[in-house]
Amino acid sequence: MNILLLCDYHKNVAQNMIDHIESFSLYSKHKIFRLSIFGNIPKKLNIHDFDGVIIHYSLSILDQQYVSLQLIQILREYRGLKIIFAQDEYKFVNKFCDLVNFMQMDFVFTCIPKQKTKKIYSKIEKAKVITVLTGYISEKMILDYKNVPDLSQRNIDVFYRTRELPYYLGDLGYEKTKIAEYFLKKSKVTKLKMDISNKENLRIYGKKYFKRLMNSRVTLGTESGSSLIDYEGELISTFEAYKLTEKQLNYFHYKENFLKDIPVNNKINVISPRCFESIVLKTVMILFEGTYSGILKPGLHYIELKKDFSNFNEILEKIKDDNLLNKISETAYNQIAKNKKYSLKNFINEFDCNIEVNNKDQKLKVLNFGSKNLNIKNTDINYIYKFQRRKLSFFLNKPYFIYIKYFYLFLKSFLRFVSLNTNILSSFLVNILFKITSYD
């Protein structure tokens, strides 16, 4: 089949997303045409020439900046195989289901644990829902980082990068900030060299991230996902209102006032792609207690940290124990990194199998209806508006734009002050001018 992969493909994201996008072209037995978009597809591109279309999770159908209403209508009318990969599935769940039904999608590949998909996605009518992991291990990464420094030669004791997540994700979202802040608070007492931040503008990606991780003995981590499911967007609206009314944000204050009566039985807690990257680079993980999709085992693949930090002193001793760290890193590498089950290649093989077997059984589509008309030589279709494709705030959050951001805020405040005090400033300038002329 000739399949069009719609995605938001660029270098300023986590490497696991880039690897995930590229894996379709590398390993699928079908011919994949990668098209990076931000809103619409090119007018000259006839989507009906393709046998299938994939919407990658780097595009959100909930956001018209990523997938426009015009494109959604085009996809509804499209007769080929329609596939969507979803992540961040804790918000606007009902709207997502409605759009999946409206576009008449055939497959939804989700990160929600299999035992919870029927309940959370109960409104999905036709599409086959298949659970996959949030990320997989890149074979290229294993080859590129085959020779990593020994743990005793690494300069950083504890490394971690995260961001402060919205409070409507509940405890699971807050845990990322919680673990970072606790280690930072204890940094002077422990005398360990730490490189930890939960600031958006200090996040790093790609090879820079790997270089820092590879120079660290241990890294921190938690499960990915959300403790709460926001079906209608009510939690998001409440949190936005809370931010406007409160001068100082506090998670526990917010939780007590807005989250205590909300059930958490449908929480989405899964392994993070960062775990796989740490294992490949043989950096030992210190993780909050959790299930980690049934893949990682405490004491075997990582060091478990209690969520109340009751075993923190014990953790400090383990960080200094080279023999223990080497044993855990080698075990994790041999049992996880070398396990083909968690490779991108195996993921794509299973993807190919799923769309063929399920398509055949359910008679969803007649395959290869569009191939005869297809006349595109380059499988990487170049269609990127570099300055339109990202929000301005995305660029302003980068470290090298921080001074521009401050200057912009200063200029905005100054102009506002001038507009509100025009009469006062005019009188002031007239007085100065009068004094100068009087001296003459």
Side-chain angles (χ1 to χ4, degrees):
M1 288 192 293
N2 291 304
I3 299 177
L4 180 64
L5 173 62
L6 301 177
C7 59
D8 183 22
Y9 180 73
H10 60 100
K11 300 298 181 182
N12 291 319
V13 292
Q15 186 63 40
N16 60 75
M17 182 186 287
I18 296 172
D19 292 338
H20 195 275
I21 292 171
E22 293 178 346
S23 66
F24 289 91
S25 300
L26 287 172
Y27 303 120
S28 178
K29 62 195 250 180
H30 305 292
K31 193 169 185 180
I32 306 295
F33 293 80
R34 186 173 66 219
L35 174 60
S36 184
I37 66 168
F38 198 63
N40 290 309
I41 59 173
K43 292 180 180 180
K44 293 182 179 179
L45 183 71
N46 186 0
I47 198 171
H48 300 285
D49 287 344
F50 297 91
D51 303 304
V53 174
I54 301 171
I55 304 175
H56 190 260
Y57 68 78
S58 54
L59 298 172
S60 172
I61 61 172
L62 298 171
D63 189 340
Q64 292 181 36
Q65 290 189 94
Y66 288 93
V67 180
S68 69
L69 293 176
Q70 180 185 356
L71 180 53
I72 287 174
Q73 183 62 41
I74 291 171
L75 289 167
R76 175 180 170 83
E77 297 168 1
Y78 171 67
R79 296 184 297 109
L81 199 62
K82 291 179 271 195
I83 303 160
I84 186 168
F85 279 81
Q87 285 201 11
D88 297 337
E89 299 166 84
Y90 47 81
K91 57 187 178 181
F92 297 106
V93 174
N94 287 344
K95 182 180 177 181
F96 175 81
C97 293
D98 289 341
L99 286 170
V100 166
N101 293 334
F102 179 80
M103 291 187 289
Q104 300 175 3
M105 303 301 294
D106 299 306
F107 294 96
V108 175
F109 285 85
T110 174
C111 297
I112 298 173
K114 189 175 182 179
Q115 64 273 20
K116 298 178 182 180
T117 54
K118 285 187 178 180
K119 187 170 185 179
I120 295 174
Y121 281 151
S122 60
K123 288 190 67 179
I124 290 181
E125 298 169 355
K126 171 192 170 187
K128 174 82 174 177
V129 180
I130 299 171
T131 296
V132 292
L133 296 176
T134 54
Y136 292 83
I137 296 172
S138 162
E139 289 81 350
K140 184 178 184 301
M141 184 181 176
I142 291 179
L143 292 173
D144 289 346
Y145 296 94
K146 195 173 184 179
N147 300 311
V148 296
D150 188 79
L151 290 174
S152 61
Q153 299 174 341
R154 303 188 182 193
N155 298 323
I156 302 168
D157 291 312
V158 186
F159 171 72
Y160 188 49
R161 281 294 185 277
T162 186
R163 60 163 67 105
E164 190 170 349
L165 295 175
Y167 294 167
Y168 55 75
L169 273 67
D171 288 348
L172 205 57
Y174 177 70
E175 284 173 5
K176 296 181 184 299
T177 297
K178 179 181 176 181
I179 194 172
E181 288 182 344
Y182 192 87
F183 269 81
L184 283 172
K185 185 173 69 174
K186 297 289 184 179
S187 59
K188 291 183 180 179
V189 180
T190 61
K191 296 181 180 179
L192 294 172
K193 187 173 181 181
M194 299 191 185
D195 184 357
I196 298 171
S197 175
N198 64 347
K199 305 299 181 185
E200 177 67 35
N201 63 313
L202 293 179
R203 284 173 66 84
I204 48 179
Y205 298 101
K207 291 183 179 179
K208 289 182 179 179
Y209 176 82
F210 290 158
K211 186 177 181 181
R212 200 79 60 90
L213 185 61
M214 191 169 55
N215 193 34
S216 306
R217 290 164 59 81
V218 304
T219 185
L220 308 178
T222 69
E223 287 184 301
S224 287
S226 174
S227 298
L228 306 168
I229 306 297
D230 192 359
Y231 286 92
E232 297 292 347
E234 294 173 353
L235 294 178
I236 295 175
S237 299
T238 303
F239 179 64
E240 292 302 321
Y242 175 78
K243 287 197 298 182
L244 292 173
T245 55
E246 296 293 328
K247 291 183 179 180
Q248 190 169 359
L249 304 184
N250 181 278
Y251 172 70
F252 298 103
H253 175 262
Y254 180 81
K255 180 182 178 181
E256 177 63 26
N257 285 275
F258 301 104
L259 302 181
K260 64 179 181 179
D261 297 327
I262 299 175
V264 295
N265 55 328
N266 278 336
K267 75 173 183 178
I268 303 171
N269 55 316
V270 294
I271 189 172
S272 165
R274 292 295 196 201
C275 292
F276 290 131
E277 293 170 349
S278 300
I279 290 170
V280 171
L281 297 178
K282 297 187 177 180
T283 302
V284 177
M285 298 175 290
I286 297 176
L287 306 176
F288 269 154
E289 49 197 322
T291 60
Y292 296 93
S293 301
I295 296 171
L296 303 182
K297 306 300 179 186
L300 194 65
H301 305 127
Y302 69 95
I303 299 172
E304 184 179 74
L305 174 64
K306 300 296 181 183
K307 293 184 180 182
D308 62 359
F309 300 101
S310 56
N311 66 334
F312 182 74
N313 290 331
E314 180 187 334
I315 296 294
L316 294 181
E317 294 303 315
K318 289 181 177 180
I319 293 174
K320 300 171 186 176
D321 189 339
D322 281 358
N323 291 329
L324 176 66
L325 295 185
N326 280 315
K327 182 180 178 181
I328 291 175
S329 68
E330 288 299 325
T331 301
Y333 188 86
N334 290 327
Q335 294 187 4
I336 306 297
K338 287 185 176 180
N339 192 332
K340 300 299 182 184
K341 181 180 179 181
Y342 307 119
S343 70
L344 278 168
K345 186 175 183 179
N346 184 67
F347 156 68
I348 294 298
N349 287 338
E350 289 185 351
F351 165 78
D352 285 346
C353 182
N354 269 312
I355 64 173
E356 288 170 9
V357 171
N358 286 291
N359 188 65
K360 183 179 179 180
D361 291 346
Q362 299 180 27
K363 297 180 180 179
L364 294 175
K365 304 287 177 186
V366 178
L367 299 183
N368 299 312
F369 78 90
S371 298
K372 296 177 182 177
N373 301 321
L374 189 60
N375 186 26
I376 301 175
K377 295 180 180 179
N378 189 358
T379 55
D380 189 9
I381 304 170
N382 187 17
Y383 180 67
I384 302 175
Y385 291 103
K386 292 183 179 179
F387 296 103
Q388 276 189 317
R389 59 180 306 286
R390 309 301 300 172
K391 293 179 181 177
L392 181 61
S393 59
F394 176 88
F395 292 104
L396 292 179
N397 274 324
K398 294 299 173 186
Y400 40 82
F401 273 105
I402 196 71
Y403 296 110
I404 297 176
K405 181 178 180 180
Y406 288 146
F407 176 74
Y408 166 75
L409 293 174
F410 165 76
L411 186 62
K412 184 179 177 181
S413 299
F414 176 74
L415 292 174
R416 179 173 175 80
F417 172 78
V418 170
S419 65
L420 293 174
N421 299 277
T422 306
N423 293 333
I424 298 173
L425 288 170
S426 299
S427 301
F428 176 71
L429 292 172
V430 168
N431 285 333
I432 291 177
L433 185 62
F434 177 76
K435 286 182 180 179
I436 292 172
T437 55
S438 64
Y439 283 119
D440 293 338

